[in-house]
Amino acid sequence: MFKNAVQRSLLCLGLAAAPGMGVAQGVITLPQAYESALLNNYQLRSEQASLSAEGEATREAWSGVLPQVTATASYGESRFTRDFNVNTSVTDTDEHTRYEVSLSQVIYSHKSFNNISRASAGEDRTRAQFNLSVVNTGFDAVKAYLAAASIKRETTVLEQELESHRRRLLQMQKKQERGFATRADVLDAQTSVDQTVAELAGLRTELLAARQQFVAVTGLDLSESSLAPVDESKWQQVPDLLKTDWLEVALKNSGDLKVARADVQFNEETQDYERAGHFPELYLNARYTENDTFATNLREETRVELQFRLPIYKGGATSARSRQAAYRKEASILALQHQEQLVRVEITRLVEGLQGSHEQINALKTARTSAGQSLEAAERGFEGGVRSLTDLLEARNRLSRTERDLVREVYRNLRMQFELKQIAGVLSEEDLQGLTL
């Protein structure tokens, strides 16, 4: 699942340079937002380039154990004087040419072979970081989508409350004209309208900020498009979701842990690489040389030799680098242990949070039903003259607050479901299917 998500993200990144790509005007679904976030995220594209660079570094490391072949050719002129005795010398000029082909092949070099393992570990570490960024970027898109959708739903609830208060105000004004309501009743109704308008203005400001955050994360334009409604019934899948041992899944698949483990592996390989500076090396060298000059009587030479290299003393540099690598390895191991603790804490927090959220949503649904019945009773009592306008307005406000609390908790529940999968390292586009209507 996760592997497929990474492959899709790579495809998106590969198409990133294509102009004019985007979502058609209309309704934007959550999968579209997810894909667009991966497509338009410059940090991901930067890390993809870094991963490609690490791949080339691995290929460069392999070159250290492959044959090194060099061909050289030179041409020049020289002026020289030869002494034959104390009183006799000859001055002359010479044109000289020289051709040489040399080959060097490592036979044994602990450092060269360890350099390959080190470079490969560095590539694995960069790949783990890129995969983690893919998951985190996808979750950022989900979080931004749900935040905007949640505030939009709250706005709808508050708009319905405002419409109810305005109808009540109009009713009070008509009753006042007929002498069945006092000015205080009208003022109470007007106050409820004004308070709701003020609250709605603040909520619309939050919605604007949430939409701007969505645009920043996904790169999608909402000026002529809207977000598809969310299937709010998905909170009901929490009991089935929590049947999975998420701690076990997270300890195996967490992107943060994979990065930390890759860092440990890289530092282990670095330590081996630095230690290899103490080991001898054996090379096979071959050379063919052809000279055309009076400066030497060596016309042609073919040489094959075994070369043994033994590092004896470099001022303590090799030992110091080995100790540095050992300390970095120890630091990365401790960082891995710390990251495991963080993952355990986060998984426990989210699992318990989802359990509590599921119970709270059930309680809020019951409270909403009770609040609706209370409002109906208050309306009948107000019409019958046994309940005051204040009681009626308070009943209406209570129903609206309960509905808003329910909306917030449902979307918080949905966000935690995706956050759980993000922390566990298994969030993918398949998890988004069916969430939007």
Side-chain angles (χ1 to χ4, degrees), residues 110-119 121-122 125 262-279 317-333:
H110 197 54
K111 189 169 186 177
S112 296
F113 285 103
N114 276 357
N115 191 36
I116 297 174
S117 300
R118 179 174 178 268
R125 182 176 62 172
D263 193 47
V264 171
Q265 183 64 32
F266 175 77
N267 285 309
E268 287 180 348
E269 297 295 344
T270 300
Q271 184 181 21
D272 290 341
Y273 171 78
E274 298 298 348
R275 285 175 175 173
H278 295 289
F279 287 75
T318 302
S319 297
R321 286 195 297 267
S322 298
R323 289 192 297 270
Q324 290 176 29
Y327 284 127
R328 292 193 180 98
K329 174 184 174 182
E330 181 183 0
S332 62
I333 291 174

Side-chain angles (χ1 to χ4, degrees), residues 12 79 83 100 130 133 136 138 155-156 168 172-173 230 251 254 258 261 276 303 320 433:
C12 289
R79 180 183 178 86
D83 291 329
E100 181 177 291
F130 172 72
S133 296
N136 290 344
T155 302
T156 301
R168 189 63 60 192
M172 289 300 100
Q173 289 172 341
V230 174
L251 292 177
S254 170
K258 286 184 176 180
R261 289 172 185 143
R303 176 181 297 182
Q433 302 300 325

